[in-house]
Amino acid sequence: MAVERTLSIIKPDATAKPGATGEILARFEQAGLKILAMKRIQLSETLAQGFYAVHKERPFYGELVKFMTSGPVVVSVLEGENAILAHRDLLGPTNSSEAPAGTIRGDFGTDIERNATHGSDAPETAKVEISYFFNASEILAPVEALT
Ligand code: GDP
């Protein structure tokens, strides 16, 4: 197993739910994923379109961009052993209406679009997605506890 970095986005449906942002971040940390960088931002239409450019020919692209710009998102860089898969396991399947209870998408999302969270799906996309939101100087290496 390798130490990897991945990009997480807590989507507008989840940031709108009281307590959900903190609980989702706690699940990441409890699973051993370290938060190296984080910010709560409002995506512009251009930023959301660029992030999901791979889906621009899909029928749901316009709705997806509208959803992603409907409120704040919390973007973070997570690091850990096998982080990309470990993070996506915590999220569960894309469609929240099919995601089991106990998964983040099952517990905080609603349907195939409003699914609470995004997670990078491969090392190459993780690299591109992390640099889409963060400069190298904003990503801080983990600091061991002072004990
Ligand atoms: P992910 O990697 O699990 O996020 O899934 P995809 O890359 O396939 O899709 C990106 C995002 O587009 C998903 O997280 C959903 O928010 C949204 N999405 C995917 N499929 C559909 C769909 O069929 N309809 C709608 N409205 N949104 C979708």
Side-chain angles (χ1 to χ4, degrees), residues 65-145:
V65 169
K66 205 160 132 193
F67 163 54
M68 291 300 290
T69 56
S70 65
V73 297
V74 172
V75 286
S76 59
V77 178
L78 306 177
E79 184 180 86
E81 289 286 344
N82 232 1
I84 294 166
L85 204 60
H87 180 229
R88 283 181 70 95
D89 280 349
L90 291 175
L91 302 189
T94 302
N95 190 342
S96 278
S97 59
E98 291 171 1
T103 65
I104 290 172
R105 283 168 163 172
D107 293 346
F108 298 98
T110 308
D111 55 29
I112 194 162
E113 178 182 270
R114 301 172 67 82
N115 61 359
T117 41
H118 165 84
S120 309
D121 63 2
E124 271 320 299
T125 43
K127 215 169 162 176
V128 171
E129 291 178 1
I130 288 169
S131 59
Y132 195 76
F133 287 108
F134 294 96
N135 296 321
S137 64
E138 294 176 302
I139 302 169
L140 306 180
V143 178
E144 297 311 320

Side-chain angles (χ1 to χ4, degrees), residues 14-66:
T15 65
K17 290 185 180 158
T21 298
E23 198 176 325
I24 292 168
L25 292 170
R27 289 192 191 187
F28 297 159
E29 291 198 306
Q30 281 155 12
L33 296 169
K34 292 177 177 160
I35 301 169
L36 304 192
M38 179 165 62
K39 52 194 172 191
R40 182 172 181 272
I41 55 173
Q42 170 69 49
L43 295 185
S44 65
E45 196 179 342
T46 309
L47 208 58
Q49 283 171 338
F51 185 75
Y52 280 119
V54 64
H55 292 310
K56 69 172 181 290
E57 306 304 334
R58 310 282 287 274
F60 59 81
Y61 180 63
E63 282 304 313
L64 176 60
V65 169
K66 205 160 132 193

